[in-house]
Amino acid sequence: RDAVCMIIEDTRQKAGKHDLKHAYFHDNNIGLVRCKLPFGDYAPVPPVSIDTKEDMEEIAQNICGGKNEHQRFIRECKAARDAGCKLYVLVENSIGITHISQVHIWQNPRSCYSPRCVQGPRLQKAMETISERYGVTFLFCAPSEAGATIERIIQSYEQ
């Protein structure tokens, strides 16, 4: 059964010392995610998280690269979805892509020495599938706009 809420437990909590709390969480359908917290032992899962990508090549590698890389990326997408956290993937780029519908125009610079590498149309389809399955929103901006974009996303959840 799905958890009614999720909380984060700091990874520095000693194993076996908190069984009563864990039993309570389990009995009350409260999901537990272990993650290093900057302070404290327990915290709510944030409503939003932003994963930044340096460029189109990095997101292409995450999604369409090796099997391990792809699986790690999908695990993160699933974990955010399952925790009730809205995940944004902000792809910085200097080629003018501003929306997922434009990804098909991207030409992978690796294609000159690796003709079978992923190109824009396949990457766009994969991004759309991930968005549909896991609720991930892909955003795009110039590197100089990344800070302001992150601020805008976070502020929209603080209101």
Side-chain angles (χ1 to χ4, degrees):
R1 71 187 170 174
D2 291 335
V4 294
C5 77
M6 297 287 287
I7 60 174
I8 300 171
E9 178 184 53
D10 188 76
T11 53
R12 292 167 291 195
Q13 287 284 73
K14 293 185 179 153
K17 298 277 186 178
H18 304 280
D19 293 342
L20 287 175
K21 286 187 281 267
H22 291 179
Y24 175 86
F25 297 150
H26 180 267
D27 293 346
N28 289 278
N29 206 22
I30 298 171
L32 192 63
V33 176
R34 289 184 50 84
C35 184
K36 185 175 184 220
L37 292 171
F39 46 83
D41 296 323
Y42 296 93
V45 172
V48 62
S49 184
I50 303 157
D51 185 7
T52 59
K53 302 301 176 187
E54 181 180 16
D55 52 29
M56 294 298 296
E57 291 170 69
E58 182 179 1
I59 191 64
Q61 183 63 33
N62 288 167
I63 294 175
C64 301
K67 183 178 177 182
N68 290 340
E69 184 74 15
H70 175 77
Q71 288 176 341
R72 181 202 56 79
F73 185 79
I74 295 301
R75 273 194 312 274
E76 289 183 14
C77 294
K78 286 180 183 178
R81 179 199 62 196
D82 294 348
C85 180
K86 175 63 181 168
L87 179 61
Y88 290 88
V89 175
L90 179 60
V91 183
E92 300 174 35
N93 70 93
S94 300
I95 57 176
I97 293 177
T98 59
H99 192 268
I100 195 170
S101 64
Q102 299 171 317
V103 171
H104 69 276
I105 67 169
W106 177 65
Q107 293 187 6
N108 192 332
R110 293 177 167 205
S111 62
C112 60
Y113 55 87
S114 181
R116 294 182 55 199
C117 68
V118 65
Q119 292 293 346
R122 185 169 139 225
L123 179 59
Q124 179 176 324
K125 178 67 178 151
M127 292 169 109
E128 290 167 345
T129 299
I130 289 168
S131 183
E132 290 170 22
R133 284 187 187 161
Y134 308 110
V136 174
T137 297
F138 290 94
L139 299 174
F140 303 82
C141 70
S144 62
E145 300 168 343
T149 302
I150 292 167
E151 177 187 29
R152 188 175 65 251
I153 294 166
I154 291 172
Q155 284 183 343
S156 73
Y157 282 86
E158 291 178 343
Q159 314 212 358

